[in-house]
């Protein structure tokens, strides 16, 4: 990957070195507001896209295998990393049987994600540990906004004919606008996977640009549906097009595919993020989603982000988990850390 960046639209001579942000220790305190400049996007650069076509699956799989074995996070350190996982979580309910009451229950869990005795045992009873956002279907946006008002928890809405994206573009844009009017400040959109299969990059780029415009000030998370994209090359190229079009986050999956977030796919996407940063200087967020249901798996993802992109990507401004049952397992692990015993799931309030 190139070690220099070019300002979007600048001439070939306008280049400068742009190192990745400092790689501080994972437990280093970071300010809540990083002053991260929002990605404005850039012109669709097919030459740059072509340079990203070569993806070595075997090398990515070897790297992932070493990542999950090199770090052993135990005891107090593990508890601290699991608290970080909670802070980077989009607590989600995207079921066909969702109701307003179910969404209110999800929001109540987001506001108080850990039992009082666990907080006291960890010595953090006075701290605010909460998921970054709750993620719901559009009909429940207003309910969620009202339930988390004043807490600092964001409301994310899945839009654009989720989970398949197979509706007219005008309909999908209207859904985004309706969610923003309802109070959602983050919008998770899906792309039509057929545009990737056909390498119709200009059409995909234009659709995402239109989605970004419809979001206004709300942040745009672009779901690639990586389990449907067949190859890591498609994942890499779709990631780059989404970022060029102005995505604030790129996200692996809807959670509805047969294969959802996997570490090799995640590694390909975070390397696309790194390449985009080297090219433009803009920091893009990453959200793995689907199948992340255990505390152990969440630690693997946090290690991936720390090793590949550095400490800034352990903040909710740049990293999120899309998860529904993960919080329960983290709560169980924290109780085990304090007592030495595992509790049953039903002892913890469900989201």
């Amino acid at each position: 990957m190139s070690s220099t960046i070019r300002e979007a639209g600048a001439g070939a001579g306008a280049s400068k070195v742009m190192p990745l942000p400092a790689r501080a220790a994972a437990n280093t305190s970071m300010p809540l507001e990083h002053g991260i400049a929002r990605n404005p996007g850039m012109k669709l650069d097919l030459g740059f896209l072509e340079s990203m076509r070569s993806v070595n699956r075997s090398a990515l799989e070897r790297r992932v295998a070493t990542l999950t074995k090199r770090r052993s996070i135990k005891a107090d350190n593990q508890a601290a990393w699991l608290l970080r996982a909670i802070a980077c979580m989009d607590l989600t309910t995207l079921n066909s049987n969702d109701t307003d009451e179910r969404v209110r229950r999800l929001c109540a869990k987001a506001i108080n994600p850990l039992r009082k005795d666990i907080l006291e045992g960890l010595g953090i009873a006075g701290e605010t540990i909460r998921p970054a956002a709750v993620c719901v279907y559009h009909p429940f946006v207003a309910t969620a906004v009202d339930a988390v008002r004043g807490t600092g928890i964001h409301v994310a809405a899945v839009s654009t004919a989720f989970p398949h994206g197979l509706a007219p573009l005008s309909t999908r844009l209207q859904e985004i606008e309706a969610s923003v009017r309802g109070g959602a400040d983050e919008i998770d959109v899906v792309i039509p996977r057929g545009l990737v299969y056909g390498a119709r990059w200009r059409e995909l780029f234009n659709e995402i640009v239109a989605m970004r415009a419809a979001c206004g000030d709300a942040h745009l998370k672009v779901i690639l549906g990586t389990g449907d994209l067949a190859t890591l090359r498609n994942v890499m190229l779709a990631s780059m097009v989404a970022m060029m079009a102005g995505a604030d986050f790129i996200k692996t999956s809807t959670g509805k595919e047969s294969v959802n977030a996997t570490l090799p796919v995640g590694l390909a996407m975070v390397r696309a993020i790194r390449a985009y940063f080297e090219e433009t200087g803009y920091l893009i967020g990453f959200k793995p989603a689907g199948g992340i249901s255990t505390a152990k798996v969440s630690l693997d993802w946090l290690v991936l982000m720390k090793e590949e992109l550095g400490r800034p990507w352990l903040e909710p401004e740049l990293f999120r988990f899309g998860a529904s049952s993960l919080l329960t397992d983290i709560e169980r692990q924290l109780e085990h850390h304090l007592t030495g015993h595992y509790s049953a799931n039903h002892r913890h309030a469900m989201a």
Side-chain angles (χ1 to χ4, degrees):
M1 295 179 185
S2 171
S3 61
T4 63
I5 70 162
R6 296 196 306 272
E7 300 296 336
S15 64
K16 60 182 178 180
V17 173
M18 178 63 70
L20 281 168
R23 296 182 177 227
N27 60 355
T28 301
S29 177
M30 297 283 283
L32 291 177
E33 297 296 333
H34 304 306
I36 296 172
R38 191 175 182 192
N39 175 31
M42 58 183 284
K43 293 180 180 178
L44 180 62
D45 186 340
L46 295 178
F48 181 33
L49 198 62
E50 181 67 21
S51 73
M52 302 301 298
R53 287 179 58 83
S54 298
V55 181
N56 188 328
R57 174 181 284 274
S58 296
L60 290 180
E61 290 175 345
R62 287 196 300 271
R63 171 63 169 159
V64 164
T66 62
L67 278 175
T68 56
K69 294 176 181 177
R70 286 172 55 199
R71 285 185 179 268
S72 180
I73 305 172
K74 301 295 184 182
D76 288 348
N77 288 329
Q78 184 181 92
W81 280 69
L82 291 178
L83 292 173
R84 173 59 48 180
I86 293 174
C88 292
M89 190 181 298
D90 283 3
L91 193 58
T92 301
T93 182
L94 297 172
N95 300 305
S96 60
N97 61 349
D98 282 345
T99 63
D100 287 321
E101 285 305 315
R102 186 185 183 116
V103 169
R104 291 189 187 99
R105 185 176 68 187
L106 180 86
C107 294
K109 184 64 173 176
I111 294 169
N112 295 290
L114 298 173
R115 293 201 323 258
K116 184 179 179 181
D117 62 301
I118 293 177
L119 293 172
E120 291 173 347
L122 294 171
I124 56 171
E127 302 294 328
T128 301
I129 306 292
R130 288 172 175 162
V134 293
C135 184
V136 298
Y137 280 116
H138 167 73
F140 306 106
V141 166
T143 299
V145 169
D146 183 63
V148 301
R149 194 181 310 278
T151 65
I153 298 171
H154 297 284
V155 174
V158 294
S159 295
T160 61
F162 180 93
H164 304 299
L166 298 177
L169 179 59
S170 59
T171 301
R172 288 179 276 146
L173 297 179
Q174 288 170 7
E175 186 178 359
I176 293 172
E177 292 165 353
S179 293
V180 172
R181 286 194 304 271
D185 54 359
E186 298 180 356
I187 303 293
D188 291 29
V189 305
V190 291
I191 62 170
R193 281 58 132 191
L195 299 182
V196 178
Y197 299 149
R200 292 152 62 186
W201 305 123
R202 174 68 63 183
E203 188 175 345
L204 177 61
F205 176 84
N206 289 340
E207 285 203 1
I208 298 173
V209 166
M211 293 174 188
R212 164 65 188 273
C215 285
D217 292 334
H219 276 218
L220 173 66
K221 304 194 200 94
V222 177
I223 308 170
L224 304 182
T226 54
D228 291 340
L229 295 187
T231 68
L232 290 179
R233 173 179 291 175
N234 282 343
V235 170
M236 175 68 77
L237 297 180
S239 297
M240 294 305 305
V241 171
M243 291 185 287
M244 289 180 184
D248 297 294
F249 272 72
I250 52 174
K251 176 178 172 182
T252 60
S253 317
T254 64
K256 309 297 185 182
E257 294 87 33
S258 58
V259 177
N260 294 292
T262 66
L263 288 170
V265 162
L267 182 54
M269 292 176 71
V270 300
R271 289 192 171 175
I273 288 172
R274 189 167 68 191
Y276 187 82
F277 175 81
E278 292 171 348
E279 186 74 9
T280 68
Y282 288 101
L283 284 66
I284 308 300
F286 176 59
K287 179 178 175 180
I292 303 173
S293 58
T294 67
K296 182 182 183 302
V297 170
S298 73
L299 293 177
D300 290 341
W301 284 100
L302 289 171
V303 168
L304 171 67
M305 301 308 292
K306 174 65 170 60
E307 292 287 329
E308 286 290 319
L309 294 177
R311 178 61 180 82
W313 271 270
L314 295 182
E315 296 290 333
E317 288 83 357
L318 290 173
F319 181 65
R320 302 286 181 84
F321 291 108
S324 53
S325 58
L326 173 61
L327 182 53
T328 296
D329 194 59
I330 289 178
E331 195 172 14
R332 291 179 64 245
Q333 294 296 328
L334 292 173
E335 183 173 3
H336 177 267
H337 171 68
L338 293 173
T339 67
H341 302 285
Y342 282 109
S343 61
N345 282 2
H346 66 259
R347 292 195 64 244
H348 300 271
M350 299 295 288

